[in-house]
Amino acid sequence: MAPLRTTIVSVVAFMITASLMNRASAGDVELAGFVQAHAVARMSNVDCPAGTECAVPFNEQRLQLKAEGGNEAGSLSFLGKIDLIHDSVLDERVGEVRELYADYNSDNFRLRSGRQIITWGLGDLLFINDIFPKDWVAFYSGQPLQYLKRGSDALNLDLYLGTTTLEIVLSRFRGDRLPDSRQFVMGSPFSPLLPYHIDEPTGAELALRLSGNLASWDAAVYASHGYYRAPALTATATEVYGFYPRLNTLGATLSGAFANGVLNLELGYYDSVNDRGGDIPAIENSQARFLVGYSRQLGQETQLGVQAYAEWLQDYHAYERSLPAGFALRDEVRTVATIRFTQRYFYQTLTFNLFAFVGLSEGDSYVVPSVRYAFNDNLWAELGANLFGGSRHGMLGAMGDNGNVYLTVRYAF
Amino acid sequence: MSLPTWRIPGPVLALITLAWVSGAATAAVPDAQTIVANSLQAFYYAGEDMRARISMRLINAQGKERRREMILLRKNIGKSGEQRYYIYFRAPPDIKGTTFMVWKYLHKEDDRWIFIPAIKLVRRIAADDKRSSFIGSDFTYEDISGRAVDDETHTLLRTEELAGRAVYVIESRPKTRADYTRRLSWIDQQRGLPLKEEYFDARDEKVRVFTADRIEQVDGYWTVTSRTMKNLQTGHRTQVRFDDIKYDLGLKKNLFTERYLRTPPRKWLR
């Protein structure tokens, strides 16, 4: 299997690099990792189509190995995280390079090359300027949050210009991992008999972030030149054809202390380069996105965060005119509110967390309650659920047949 | 607006010394406010900057133990009581590599940021409640980074001896609502360090006890290198040891910025 081979090659290359670095510089290499079991049961009685895992759509065991180190001076360092996964549901064994990069640090810059996770922007599970690849399968199946992010294969140069930092990321395209019919029940406008053919972009992507402090606020501006991470699909007589349309973005964030809490402001403009007129139904129209978030402590171990988010579809009339029959019409402005409530007990060994998306314009909802208990420093277990409700035409409500409960147990070493 | 400083006027210092040397504590005792200011200075502000490796043992009533290990970098900014803290977690494995930064101010809320390495996320976090537990220990954020002298009103109750040291016994009451209504401190008359503290709740029951278990002189500064905070209601306690302490390293101000939150400075973290 190709991914497994790639993984083995990466692991071997990584081990060699690590051991060379270790010998050459008398630096230190630290090894760590975890084993994790994760199982998911579908909640409601759903008539799953043939070919979709129904009662237990996910059940996997995972070993993550991590190595990191560097030379004594701190100029060279590296990190590698490899996951080996046994998927009992799909009966697959897969290896995945989560991260594998080397850093060169100098006084005025840092160059990070290799597979790396990059997180930009301020939204809590709402993304505007975080245009980097994500794994929605992991997210909707209740995997720990770190698995929502996928690594980018990139050269990442941070330039330290006094008190500001300019980050330049040159990357190879990597798409989002999207729910598919093997494990999710979703309506599709296309005949299930048609094969999919999806072309991946070959060009590089460029993303820039300039950040610094304004008074006592953290401020940043962003720009990117790349692609949407979900394909635009059209059906022909023989297949469903997909490609990743071009996307340019511009944005800004501001974050600071406000009224005994933290206020986050974020905005962005998504320029849909291949559909600037807004009349190609398969391609997303351009959008303006806005987010306001506020979080604060309510008590000694109680935290509350709220967000309001809006997506404003540009060229709405062109979109309306060109939408084929049978497709649900989206609102011109989609609004979502979120709430996060966290309460800790017993010296922070027991954590109750509730995250809820409320689709204000679409009348749907997505609620994620969870409870985690840390048995000791190495072992924790989390029981949670992904609950979808409301209108099936909404983006969240469309997932309605995929409500689930999950259990994750992790032993870290 | 100029903020009150910790600096004790020379004559007062001379009087403290004189009082201690002569053993005539009753003759020239500084006022409680000055004693506490002096103590905060000795306990939280020693040197221009410092680095230490901190090991915490979190022990519950059944004797079950959890451990936290971290590197602390701290720098004083000017004379107004402002400080910067940088913490790099080394253990347990699930939070290893997490970094935490505090810009501490005496007369407004601190700025706090955390970096979560698994998703390379820097997040500003709300710092409204300084009485929250620091990483599940019996110490609060305020216990770690200190409080302002005028957050409480102080009364000198008496002078006595504790473990062979002459101490002032001070009672402090918070001016705004807190999780304790009063605090007793046994402050070393000569070194200024708190040797013991007791916190009382609204029913005037003793709820937490701090003890300085070991005090050593490091780079010329008297330092509490081993301490315990015990919660008498839950039976939970936290023992903390400071190792590899160094003062006045010349840590630069820009070490305490997002840059180093994302890329921990290996040089200072070994």
Side-chain angles (χ1 to χ4, degrees):
Chain A
M1 211 179 154
L4 190 57
R5 205 179 316 135
T6 317
T7 309
I8 293 168
V9 171
S10 309
V11 173
V12 171
F14 176 67
M15 294 299 184
I16 293 170
T17 319
S19 66
L20 280 179
M21 201 178 257
N22 194 25
R23 196 172 311 160
S25 60
D28 50 329
V29 175
E30 294 181 69
L31 295 169
F34 59 77
V35 284
Q36 177 185 295
H38 181 74
V40 180
R42 197 179 300 272
M43 288 270 284
S44 47
N45 270 333
V46 177
D47 287 328
C48 298
T52 301
E53 298 291 344
C54 203
V56 179
F58 298 90
N59 184 9
E60 57 141 72
Q61 301 81 46
R62 183 185 289 263
L63 166 70
Q64 179 172 93
L65 292 172
K66 177 174 114 178
E68 61 183 321
N71 65 353
E72 210 153 309
S75 57
L76 288 168
S77 55
F78 71 91
L79 180 138
K81 277 185 193 172
I82 316 290
D83 280 23
L84 301 169
I85 306 149
H86 173 233
D87 185 328
S88 314
V89 169
L90 301 177
D91 195 25
E92 287 176 351
R93 280 162 191 76
V94 252
E96 193 192 329
V97 179
R98 290 283 303 162
E99 294 178 84
L100 187 65
Y101 59 73
D103 282 358
Y104 180 75
N105 294 295
S106 89
D107 282 348
N108 305 315
F109 70 90
R110 182 195 78 183
L111 178 66
R112 173 166 292 176
S113 57
R115 175 162 293 181
Q116 53 194 297
I117 286 169
I118 303 171
T119 303
W120 286 0
L122 301 173
D124 186 2
L125 301 179
L126 288 170
F127 303 103
I128 299 179
N129 290 298
D130 188 30
I131 38 97
F132 300 102
K134 297 181 187 69
D135 184 340
W136 298 102
V137 175
F139 181 61
Y140 291 127
S141 63
Q143 283 271 13
L145 192 62
Q146 71 200 78
Y147 287 103
L148 169 59
K149 298 288 297 185
R150 302 185 82 195
S152 300
D153 297 323
L155 281 173
N156 182 348
L157 179 67
D158 285 8
L159 291 171
Y160 307 119
L161 314 158
T163 54
T164 32
T165 298
L166 176 64
E167 209 172 327
I168 305 167
V169 178
L170 191 65
S171 57
R172 215 176 70 183
F173 175 81
R174 220 176 165 217
D176 282 356
R177 190 167 160 236
L178 298 167
D180 68 29
S181 62
R182 289 188 304 175
Q183 286 156 307
F184 289 88
V185 180
M186 291 176 308
S188 164
F190 306 115
S191 159
L193 301 172
L194 291 177
Y196 278 67
H197 170 88
I198 293 174
D199 279 337
E200 288 222 345
T202 48
E205 297 186 301
L206 178 68
L208 305 171
R209 175 181 187 258
L210 184 68
S211 60
N213 284 83
L214 276 180
S216 56
W217 290 71
D218 305 331
V221 290
Y222 309 78
S224 78
H225 176 73
Y227 300 88
Y228 280 99
R229 308 233 169 254
L233 301 171
T234 40
T236 67
T238 53
E239 64 176 17
V240 175
Y241 172 71
F243 74 104
Y244 293 87
R246 295 230 52 131
L247 171 66
N248 294 337
T249 67
L250 273 177
T253 54
L254 198 60
S255 171
F258 179 79
N260 299 320
V262 172
L263 183 69
N264 290 325
L265 301 171
E266 181 161 8
L267 56 90
Y269 184 78
Y270 278 44
D271 172 18
S272 183
V273 179
N274 295 140
D275 185 23
R276 282 192 171 134
D279 50 9
I280 307 172
I283 302 177
E284 289 276 338
N285 280 21
S286 296
Q287 279 184 356
R289 297 185 177 193
F290 309 90
L291 177 114
V292 182
Y294 177 71
S295 65
R296 65 164 294 174
Q297 280 185 292
L298 294 183
Q300 276 185 25
E301 297 291 355
T302 313
Q303 228 143 12
L304 181 73
V306 289
Q307 297 181 115
Y309 168 82
E311 259 175 32
W312 176 24
L313 214 57
Q314 310 290 293
D315 311 306
Y316 190 71
H317 294 298
Y319 159 77
E320 269 182 314
R321 275 197 310 275
S322 57
L323 189 73
F327 282 78
L329 187 73
R330 282 163 63 175
D331 294 327
E332 184 171 2
V333 179
R334 176 175 175 257
T335 50
V336 175
T338 74
I339 182 164
R340 180 187 287 281
F341 176 83
T342 309
Q343 172 82 51
R344 293 191 173 90
Y345 301 94
F346 309 127
Y347 293 88
Q348 302 179 1
T349 51
L350 182 67
T351 305
F352 172 75
N353 191 70
L354 180 81
F355 193 91
F357 294 88
V358 181
L360 300 174
S361 58
E362 297 185 332
D364 54 356
S365 65
Y366 173 29
V367 181
V368 190
S370 69
V371 58
R372 181 186 289 203
Y373 183 68
F375 294 90
N376 54 45
D377 283 338
N378 302 96
L379 180 69
W380 60 255
E382 181 173 306
L383 182 66
N386 290 281
L387 309 170
F388 303 92
S391 165
R392 290 295 178 106
H393 295 302
M395 270 171 77
L396 307 165
M399 295 291 290
D401 287 334
N402 300 289
N404 62 51
V405 280
Y406 66 85
L407 176 68
T408 313
V409 182
R410 180 185 287 187
Y411 181 86
F413 52 85
Chain B
M1 188 182 84
S2 82
L3 300 171
T5 69
W6 295 131
R7 297 289 163 188
I8 301 156
V12 176
L13 204 61
L15 282 176
I16 298 171
T17 314
L18 191 68
W20 181 77
V21 169
S22 65
T26 46
V29 174
D31 67 83
Q33 184 90 357
T34 308
I35 295 167
V36 173
N38 176 26
S39 175
L40 288 167
Q41 176 71 33
F43 195 49
Y44 293 105
Y45 290 85
E48 285 305 305
D49 58 47
M50 89 174 288
R51 175 205 179 277
R53 182 160 56 84
I54 300 178
S55 317
M56 280 191 172
R57 297 169 62 204
L58 285 51
I59 306 161
N60 73 8
Q62 289 75 46
K64 215 175 111 181
E65 190 173 318
R66 296 183 291 152
R67 281 168 182 271
R68 303 279 177 271
E69 223 178 273
M70 65 206 92
I71 302 287
L72 170 76
L73 303 174
R74 188 258 287 156
K75 181 177 176 65
N76 300 346
I77 306 291
K79 301 290 177 207
S80 65
E82 194 179 326
Q83 286 184 315
R84 307 270 153 97
Y85 286 78
Y86 180 99
I87 292 173
Y88 174 86
F89 288 96
R90 291 160 54 108
D94 225 35
I95 59 165
K96 183 179 184 301
T98 301
T99 52
F100 179 68
M101 184 166 75
V102 181
W103 289 15
K104 173 184 144 187
Y105 313 100
L106 283 182
H107 296 278
K108 62 169 186 164
E109 297 302 336
D110 299 345
D111 289 316
R112 286 188 208 159
W113 296 264
I114 192 163
F115 171 70
I116 299 163
I119 47 173
K120 304 285 187 279
L121 172 75
V122 169
R123 177 142 290 177
R124 190 184 262 267
I125 51 179
D128 178 34
D129 194 345
K130 294 183 175 185
R131 307 296 306 163
S132 284
S133 158
F134 178 70
I135 53 166
S137 75
D138 293 283
F139 289 90
T140 64
Y141 280 93
E142 195 177 76
D143 294 330
I144 302 293
S145 64
R147 51 182 75 82
V149 66
D150 47 16
D151 284 354
E152 302 168 304
T153 53
H154 311 283
T155 317
L156 175 60
L157 298 184
R158 57 185 183 270
T159 58
E160 63 184 36
E161 266 204 11
L162 182 71
R165 304 286 308 168
V167 294
Y168 300 115
V169 183
I170 303 272
E171 184 185 69
S172 308
R173 291 178 183 270
K175 288 179 182 169
T176 54
R177 214 172 69 88
D179 62 327
Y180 64 99
T181 51
R182 68 186 185 103
R183 175 167 70 100
L184 291 182
S185 315
W186 282 257
I187 295 171
D188 190 309
Q189 292 187 11
Q190 184 204 10
R191 297 169 185 167
L193 294 173
L195 303 185
K196 186 165 108 168
E197 287 180 340
E198 296 177 346
Y199 294 79
F200 294 81
D201 68 7
R203 286 172 302 171
D204 208 34
E205 278 179 35
K206 203 191 295 177
V207 285
R208 289 200 310 158
V209 176
F210 164 89
T211 48
D213 306 320
R214 192 181 164 89
I215 292 171
E216 293 169 85
Q217 201 168 24
V218 182
D219 296 336
Y221 301 98
W222 287 103
T223 307
V224 179
T225 55
S226 188
R227 65 192 71 183
T228 302
M229 184 72 86
K230 181 163 185 177
N231 185 316
L232 302 178
Q233 291 176 326
T234 61
H236 195 282
R237 69 183 195 275
T238 302
Q239 296 178 351
V240 184
R241 224 181 61 208
F242 280 53
D243 289 299
D244 305 334
I245 305 168
K246 272 234 158 293
Y247 286 101
D248 300 327
L249 297 139
L251 297 180
K252 293 215 168 58
K253 202 169 157 182
N254 89 338
L255 206 59
F256 301 85
T257 56
E258 183 177 329
R259 168 184 176 178
Y260 290 102
L261 209 55
R262 288 179 180 273
T263 312
R266 296 180 63 82
K267 181 181 167 190
W268 299 112
L269 301 180
R270 268 188 304 275

